[in-house]
Amino acid sequence: MTRKADCSERLLLFFSEGHGEEGESQLAEILRSQDFADPERSAVNLRMLVASCRPEVLVRIALAALDTPSPDMALNGLERISSVVAGDDFLTVCGNPERLAQLLTICGSSPFLTSILCRKPEYFRVLFIESLIDINRTGEETLAALRVFAGPEPGYDDLFSILRRFKYGEMLRIAARDLNGLAPLEEVTGELSALASATLQVACEAARRRLVRKHGPPLMVTPSGFEEADLVVMGMGKLGGRELNFSSDIDLIYFYSSDEGETAGIDAGEGEVRGKISLHAFFVKLSEMISRAISQVTEDGFVFRVDLGLRPEGKSGDLAISLRSAEIYYESWGQTWERSAMLKARPVAGSAELGQRVLDTLAPFIYRKYLDYNLIEDMMAMKKKIDASLVRERESEYNIKLGRGGIREIEFFIQALQLVFAGKNQGIREKNSLLALRHLCEFLIIRDEDCETLGEAYRFLRMVEHRIQVVQERQTHQLPVKDEDLRLLARRCGFLQADGPQRFTKTLEEH
């Protein structure tokens, strides 16, 4: 008889005999024989489920918890959830082995996700009873779902709560699919990026409606008369590449159509018009409002942290810049790091047509037809600055993103080759890292084995990054130093065996 089968028999006998509080030490002893690190606490959690679950269900719960990253945390989270969700729904999920395993995996991996279920118990039914955990969404479907959730033309002030509640529901669904192996990396990062784009689009629309009511529509001067000016929100970095993490900042640059013109103003009666402002002032206000709607921390949390440091002249520059001003800036003062950053620029909200015009206008700056040898030196200098910073902070061996052999080194490799070759080869002008690797291979710039090796390493390192961040939605890229924390990370990454930490560390070092 296996240890698990023996434990099953002992647990079934224990629960069938109806032991009360006095039996907790006996229950803890049974759990101690398995992989429970805190059997006393887990015994309390199981006993608190006795009133709502039959003995055979309790046994199934205890054994299923053993297959999660942290069996103790799984039982604690399950007990917390049982106290806030509808009893019938809870029993339905516990009676379904597949759904129970999915729920326990969430509870045993992430206190952050467990807290979402406890704060918003309605998500439990949607996720497990209505099977939202089985659904993946395209960008268009995510935006459509948000529009339904928000209702027609939501007010700007109402938007803060709406966007945050939608974000946490979607984050729960996406993370649940990721942790349970229901979605590959590309789907997970793509859905997180689609979530950011959808929230930015709805924020853009609501903010613009408010400003137009106050100042009138923004009208630019054109050869054929006046036309309404537009704004595009350009996603940079991982958002531009559809590669967001669970706790990513979103890097944005705001571009608008033209500085030539002003808003129409508001009719104040008796021929008087009030509220006219310049186009620059209008679009700076609009950009501020969008950023605030997404990043401000409220009682409902935040949607995404917004980083505007990649805009022209960085944090000292204007929050929004016109197309013509952008063209002059990048032609005259644009640096290599800005060329590298613009490789991943993608319109994510606002006017897609204006976004394409921006990219077309800046293409000669980003993609040079002739090789600039200073480019290689600049790229090396950028990398050395990162390495020096890590050495100062003693993070080189523990930072999964910036450290030795980390994610950033793969991204540097890809972007350096794009900057060298994409001027003459439009086929490698790809924003997504994994797709860019494939295109570099297809055009014989890198070898098949290098493409495969780097692709596998990128997927593994990004998966580890997600498993680090999903615990508490913390923006960290640090590998744990303590043995117990490393063991739990290894289990979250699928290394559940007794030698999991050693196998995980070996695999990590290979990549």
Side-chain angles (χ1 to χ4, degrees):
M1 180 180 293
T2 65
R3 286 177 65 228
K4 215 170 194 180
D6 176 58
C7 177
S8 176
E9 286 193 5
R10 294 172 66 192
L11 285 172
L12 185 59
L13 180 62
F14 176 87
F15 290 125
S16 298
E17 291 176 350
H19 292 277
E21 287 187 35
E22 70 282 355
E24 270 183 19
S25 59
Q26 183 182 344
L27 177 56
E29 194 57 40
I30 299 173
L31 299 179
R32 196 187 313 278
S33 68
Q34 301 298 309
D35 289 332
F36 289 92
D38 190 352
E40 288 79 11
R41 182 183 182 188
S42 292
V44 173
N45 293 138
L46 273 176
R47 194 181 59 75
M48 293 180 75
L49 293 169
V50 167
S52 55
C53 297
R54 299 188 309 276
E56 57 270 25
V57 174
L58 291 168
V59 173
R60 184 185 304 134
I61 289 171
L63 296 182
L66 291 171
D67 294 325
T68 70
S70 173
D72 302 279
M73 195 161 69
L75 290 185
N76 182 255
L78 186 72
E79 186 273 316
R80 287 175 58 202
I81 289 170
S82 73
S83 67
V84 295
V85 303
D88 289 345
D89 288 347
F90 183 74
L91 289 177
T92 297
V93 171
C94 289
N96 182 322
E98 180 183 18
R99 289 292 187 244
L100 175 61
Q102 292 168 345
L103 173 58
L104 284 169
T105 294
I106 294 170
C107 294
S109 301
S110 173
F112 161 65
L113 298 176
T114 301
S115 294
I116 294 177
L117 285 167
C118 291
R119 287 198 313 269
K120 301 288 184 182
E122 61 269 24
Y123 291 164
F124 182 88
R125 162 167 273 276
V126 173
L127 192 66
F128 295 109
I129 305 297
E130 298 176 11
S131 301
L132 197 66
I133 192 173
D134 296 326
I135 293 173
N136 70 296
R137 285 178 168 150
T138 64
E140 292 77 12
E141 289 167 342
T142 301
L143 179 57
L146 175 53
R147 292 198 190 284
V148 171
F149 187 82
E153 298 197 353
Y156 178 74
D157 291 334
D158 297 330
L159 203 64
F160 284 71
S161 175
I162 289 168
L163 294 183
R164 283 148 185 78
R165 287 187 288 120
F166 183 78
K167 170 260 179 99
Y168 283 113
E170 283 296 277
M171 194 72 79
L172 176 64
R173 177 185 65 82
I174 297 167
R177 288 178 54 76
D178 181 31
L179 288 168
N180 282 287
L182 300 176
L185 172 72
E186 293 91 328
E187 182 182 305
V188 173
T189 57
E191 286 210 68
L192 290 170
S193 303
L195 173 61
S197 297
T199 55
L200 284 164
Q201 180 63 38
V202 172
C204 182
E205 293 167 358
R208 186 177 181 119
R209 284 194 296 270
R210 171 174 281 193
L211 285 178
V212 168
R213 284 197 298 270
K214 186 176 181 180
H215 300 289
L219 301 178
M220 62 178 177
V221 179
T222 71
S224 57
F226 290 100
E227 293 181 13
E228 195 158 332
D230 284 320
L231 177 88
V232 61
V233 185
M234 199 70 77
M236 311 292 287
K238 283 185 166 56
L239 175 57
R242 294 185 171 90
E243 300 163 324
L244 278 190
N245 305 329
F246 282 113
S247 192
S248 286
D249 288 350
I250 52 174
D251 294 296
L252 306 177
I253 303 179
Y254 296 102
F255 296 97
Y256 59 94
S257 305
S258 172
D259 283 312
E260 300 297 319
E262 60 183 0
T263 62
I266 303 299
D267 186 358
E270 299 182 358
E272 183 181 350
V273 176
R274 59 177 173 82
K276 282 190 176 185
I277 58 175
S278 69
L279 293 184
H280 179 71
F282 180 92
F283 286 111
V284 166
K285 285 176 180 285
L286 179 56
S287 302
E288 289 173 343
M289 292 175 70
I290 295 169
S291 296
R292 192 182 316 127
I294 299 298
S295 64
Q296 184 170 305
V297 178
T298 72
E299 61 183 13
D300 295 308
F302 62 95
V303 188
F304 288 93
R305 302 176 193 88
V306 173
D307 189 334
L308 302 171
L310 294 180
R311 68 186 187 268
E313 298 185 49
K315 294 179 180 177
S316 64
D318 290 330
L319 199 60
I321 184 170
S322 70
L323 174 57
R324 179 57 184 155
S325 295
E327 184 178 17
I328 293 171
Y329 170 82
Y330 287 111
E331 281 184 357
S332 304
W333 295 287
Q335 301 177 52
T336 297
W337 72 263
E338 289 174 303
R339 288 180 60 198
S340 180
M342 292 301 296
L343 285 171
K344 298 180 87 70
R346 177 174 65 90
V348 295
S351 170
E353 185 274 332
L354 174 60
Q356 190 57 54
R357 283 172 53 206
V358 171
L359 293 178
D360 291 342
T361 299
L362 300 184
F365 163 72
I366 305 168
Y367 305 106
R368 303 286 172 84
K369 288 186 178 180
Y370 304 102
L371 179 59
D372 177 4
Y373 287 96
N374 291 329
L375 161 69
I376 307 300
E377 296 297 327
D378 288 346
M379 294 288 287
M380 290 173 62
M382 289 161 58
K383 183 66 175 67
K384 286 177 181 177
K385 283 183 181 179
I386 293 175
D387 292 344
S389 173
L390 290 170
V391 169
R392 283 196 303 272
E393 298 173 20
R394 299 182 180 179
E395 293 183 1
S396 182
E397 294 300 309
Y398 299 102
N399 193 307
I400 199 78
K401 177 181 178 181
L402 302 177
R404 176 187 58 84
I407 296 165
R408 180 56 57 84
E409 293 200 345
I410 300 174
E411 294 171 341
F412 257 86
F413 176 82
I414 296 168
Q415 290 168 18
L417 290 177
Q418 286 180 310
L419 288 174
V420 170
F421 292 103
K424 293 185 177 180
N425 188 339
Q426 296 190 21
I428 59 172
R429 296 181 185 183
E430 170 60 54
K431 303 176 191 308
N432 179 273
S433 297
L434 288 171
L435 290 178
L437 268 176
R438 194 178 307 158
H439 292 329
L440 289 169
C441 181
E442 289 170 354
F443 285 94
L444 306 180
I445 295 171
I446 63 174
R447 298 175 301 172
D448 289 349
E449 52 266 41
D450 291 332
C451 178
E452 184 176 345
T453 298
L454 289 170
E456 289 178 359
Y458 183 84
R459 288 186 178 89
F460 184 83
L461 296 173
R462 289 299 307 276
M463 182 270 290
V464 174
E465 183 182 42
H466 283 181
R467 298 296 189 271
I468 293 171
Q469 294 182 350
V470 78
V471 178
Q472 293 288 4
E473 201 196 14
R474 288 183 58 222
Q475 189 181 30
T476 177
H477 309 281
Q478 293 296 104
L479 290 165
V481 177
K482 296 180 180 178
D483 289 344
E484 177 59 16
D485 293 337
L486 182 64
R487 186 183 74 86
L488 292 174
L489 173 60
R491 289 178 66 89
R492 285 197 302 276
C493 293
F495 294 82
L496 297 174
Q497 302 87 343
D499 64 344
Q502 293 78 22
R503 293 177 61 245
F504 169 75
T505 301
K506 182 177 182 292
T507 304
L508 179 66
E509 182 62 24
E510 288 172 353
H511 285 306

